[in-house]
Amino acid sequence: MYGWLAVYYRELLILKRRFPKMLASMSVSPLLYLIAFGYAMGKTVMIHGHTYMEFLIPGLVAMSSMTRAFGIGSEINISRFYWHIFEEFQAAPINNISYALGETLAGMTRALFAVILIILLGLLFGVVLRYDSPMFWLAIFLNSFVFSSLAVGLAMIVKSHADQAMLTSFVITPMAFLGGTFFPLSRLPVWAQDILYFVPLSHASKAIRAASFGEPVSLTSYLFLAGIGAAFFFMAVCFVNRARD
Amino acid sequence: MIDFKDLGKKYGATYALRGVTLHVPEGEFFAYLGPNGAGKSTTLRILTGLTRRTSGEAYLNGFHIERDSLQAKRQCGLVPQAINLDQELTVYENLNLHGLLFRIPAAERSRKINELLDYIGLGDRQGSLVSRLSGGMKRRLTIARALVHSPRILFLDEPTVGLDAGIRRRIWALIKKIQNNGTTIFLTTHYIEEAEFLAERVAFLDEGRIIAVDTPQALIARQGTWAIDRVVDDDIKTVYFKTREEATQYSVNQEESFSLRRVNLEDAFLALTGKKVK
């Protein structure tokens, strides 16, 4: 199991080297969403007793933790198809669980930085929510675990970098907009709500929003995220072997 | 010690390796010679755990490559054909990461890395980013990385491909030095002179099959010692001789231009397969 530390260590070194650039690129989208949707369009909008800016920030936290955690898949692909660094891990005496765990944790670490950045941006706009709630951080932890595990698993089976980009377009982008980030799901028709109930981001948005408002959280959402995260992680471990061909 | 029996690899309907069998004793310098697509890299990828075999069995120092994969991997170091160093990390960080992957204790890791960097002449570049190194330096660093965990077997996949003659000879000297420390070397190459200069034994591989295994001298001797190349109808015809006297005698009667040279492994490969290695 020790191998995960080496895999994680490598990702941290890369993160450290790219940190200023990464921070800048991480800020652009949330800042634009906050200005366009939160500040300009949503100025007069109230949702469930909260300003739209207050409603938006937990949604952006959920969305960014998802996209940044999923982004580890692209990093793996670059090191696999372009730099061939993945072969260094394959030839090392580490098992599949260690590799998957190291990369999953790396994705979760990136997600954590994205979340902190959004909280800081929110403060700039004068929005202070309940970030001291353990349930807030637990929901972020589970959400990033779900999408980081999914990304690691998919990165093992895609055949090119283009395939990975396609997955982002067809899976992550629709989820980002329909997972309760920008509007409450209760405004959609019931059939759409039923479908979106099975989208992990819907549960993450709901849990993160409730915790950050200091409202009671739904345990079902946490169990759903934990269950699906465990399933994706198991899938990632199994798929590491498939990457050997 | 490397052992494999009936090792095979099939990609769809295409055979990359057709049941090869080989024994390389401990400490030997062994070269695996063949043209591109012969199955050299496939063999090496299977032995080092990068690719799954389709058939056969393989052992590294007695450890089965799949059933005891972690133990088998600890036995060997791999220098891949494509340089796969982390370009965004420093020279030291690349070696340190490898040491971590092989669970080398911190103090020993640091000592070994400094020793290796001096060994390959990069002692003063340990803080440099890999992206700033020259091709030859990167190649030497890739070899050093494979040695951080002191492997008893070193696999080198075309280690000098794309390097100029001067750097190639420096790499040869480095590899020879490693073997002198008792490491078993398994080298794949399509450079005839590389195999001839370095290896104690050579296997010829063609279309996924081993067609001959012997010392370079014995393989060459099968053809003769001297060769005369003649240009005949836009092609080169080669005639082989046991002695230089025989070759000289033959050349006296030649009207076309010709060149006299020593027989090499390329001639031996050509005689067995009808094709050139390169």
Side-chain angles (χ1 to χ4, degrees), chain A residues 10 17-18 88 90 244, chain B residues 50 73 86 88 98:
Chain A
R10 185 226 164 214
R17 201 128 289 147
R18 290 190 201 156
E88 167 77 348
Q90 283 180 303
R244 289 170 74 200
Chain B
L50 304 186
K73 284 175 181 179
D86 238 312
E88 291 178 88
H98 184 90

Side-chain angles (χ1 to χ4, degrees), chain B residues 224-238:
Chain B
T225 311
W226 292 89
I228 285 183
D229 294 325
R230 290 181 301 132
V231 179
V232 180
D233 300 331
D234 297 334
D235 197 8
I236 293 176
K237 299 281 181 205
T238 307

Side-chain angles (χ1 to χ4, degrees), chain A residues 1-18 75 78-79 82-96 238 241-245, chain B residues 9 11 45-46 48-52 65-66 69-71 73-74 76 78 80 82-90 93-94 96-104 109 129 145:
Chain A
M1 281 297 284
Y2 181 85
W4 71 268
L5 199 60
V7 178
Y8 185 55
Y9 168 72
R10 185 226 164 214
E11 293 291 351
L12 287 188
L13 285 174
I14 302 278
L15 198 65
K16 186 180 116 192
R17 201 128 289 147
R18 290 190 201 156
E75 295 297 330
I78 291 167
S79 65
Y82 190 59
W83 296 116
H84 303 285
I85 294 160
F86 183 60
E87 291 181 359
E88 167 77 348
F89 294 126
Q90 283 180 303
I94 60 170
N95 55 35
N96 295 350
C238 295
N241 242 351
R242 288 183 59 171
R244 289 170 74 200
D245 282 328
Chain B
K9 179 69 188 175
Y11 291 101
R45 288 179 67 85
I46 292 172
T48 53
L50 304 186
T51 300
R52 282 180 288 190
I65 55 160
E66 280 176 16
S69 70
L70 300 189
Q71 281 297 334
K73 284 175 181 179
R74 281 184 212 285
C76 63
L78 167 66
I83 289 172
N84 66 344
L85 296 162
D86 238 312
Q87 306 286 323
E88 291 178 88
L89 303 187
T90 65
E93 285 167 345
N94 266 278
N96 193 39
L97 175 66
H98 184 90
L100 265 174
L101 283 167
F102 281 81
R103 215 172 172 172
I104 311 295
R109 203 163 65 225
L129 286 177
R145 185 184 60 181

Side-chain angles (χ1 to χ4, degrees), chain B residues 183-224:
Chain B
T183 310
T184 309
I185 308 272
F186 191 96
L187 167 84
T188 75
T189 185
H190 65 263
Y191 290 129
I192 293 294
E193 65 278 19
E194 192 160 278
E196 220 171 288
F197 178 75
L198 293 168
E200 290 165 283
R201 278 197 312 148
V202 173
F204 285 160
L205 191 70
D206 187 41
E207 293 178 3
R209 288 192 183 91
I210 290 179
I211 48 169
V213 186
D214 216 327
T215 62
Q217 298 76 17
L219 288 167
I220 290 167
R222 291 183 191 182
Q223 276 310 106

